Amino acid sequence: MTRLLLIRHGETTDNARKIMQGQTQGELNETGFLQAERLAEELRNMPIDAFVASDLHRAIQTARILAKPHGKQLYTTPLLRERDWGDFTGKYIPDLQGLPFPDNVESMDCLMQRSRRFLDEMAEKYPGQCVAAVGHGIINKAIQAVYYQKNIRDIARMDNCEVRELLIGRP
């Protein structure tokens, strides 16, 4: 079994401003750096074999902080990217409530397929290992929805730098 530590990146400037980031790069703010440093200290003595992150800057920033005490290389994957919010990207989230999704928002089917591919890839590449994977709010919910075979709406929102553990692959 692969022990997957699914982590949401630290807080960004746009998180604090309630801006829909989607697949923009993003930048950790001061709170986000402190969250990542706190989590790195919590994980310092945990045997983690690999660190994987979304290829978006905010996840990479967080993962680098987490990986540093372990002296491990960081790997990135577009499978962990946040959902593509299309024309909603860059908009103030409260203003989007109740609006129909634009046609260019990544479909739920595509998001769930990407999540399944991520889980399969981690189980295949890291059998019997512990992997810290830094992603984003919605993709992390989708990964858990696939894992638990639930609707994404039934998965609780993850806070910045929150960790959820999943055991994937064959025993």
Side-chain angles (χ1 to χ4, degrees):
M1 298 289 282
T2 300
R3 181 178 183 200
L4 180 66
L5 304 176
L6 193 60
I7 302 165
R8 183 175 176 205
H9 63 77
E11 184 181 86
T12 67
T13 304
D14 282 346
N15 287 147
R17 294 173 45 221
K18 296 185 169 116
I19 300 298
M20 185 70 79
Q21 292 176 98
Q23 295 190 357
T24 60
Q25 293 299 324
E27 180 78 29
L28 295 185
N29 62 15
E30 185 177 334
T31 299
F33 279 109
L34 290 172
Q35 290 168 332
E37 289 164 5
R38 253 184 263 126
L39 182 55
E41 188 56 37
E42 288 176 31
L43 299 177
R44 175 180 292 281
N45 296 317
M46 184 179 287
I48 299 174
D49 300 295
F51 289 83
V52 178
S54 155
D55 60 352
L56 298 176
H57 187 62
R58 60 195 186 266
I60 292 170
Q61 285 180 300
T62 303
R64 280 186 179 144
I65 293 168
L66 301 179
K68 187 174 181 181
H70 297 268
K72 300 284 184 178
Q73 183 176 353
L74 174 63
Y75 300 94
T76 62
T77 176
L79 293 175
L80 265 179
R81 276 187 180 189
E82 183 56 294
R83 186 177 191 180
D84 184 347
W85 287 104
D87 290 342
F88 276 177
T89 303
K91 304 282 195 263
Y92 183 60
I93 294 170
D95 290 346
L96 304 176
Q97 300 302 317
L99 294 178
F101 281 9
D103 290 339
N104 60 354
V105 170
E106 182 178 9
S107 74
M108 189 56 67
D109 283 346
C110 287
L111 184 67
M112 299 309 264
Q113 288 171 15
R114 188 157 53 94
S115 298
R116 167 53 55 208
R117 283 195 316 270
F118 173 75
L119 286 170
D120 290 346
E121 186 175 297
M122 292 300 102
E124 183 181 315
K125 281 188 174 181
Y126 303 104
Q129 297 182 52
C130 179
V131 179
V134 180
H136 308 269
I138 301 301
I139 187 63
N140 284 4
K141 281 184 68 162
I143 289 166
Q144 293 170 83
V146 168
Y147 178 81
Y148 291 112
Q149 298 178 354
K150 291 186 172 187
N151 189 299
I152 194 169
R153 290 184 191 100
D154 297 329
I155 304 298
R157 177 186 180 279
M158 289 182 76
D159 292 327
N160 293 106
C161 279
E162 181 179 340
V163 181
R164 298 204 182 146
E165 183 177 335
L166 308 176
L167 296 175
I168 58 175
R170 296 190 180 122

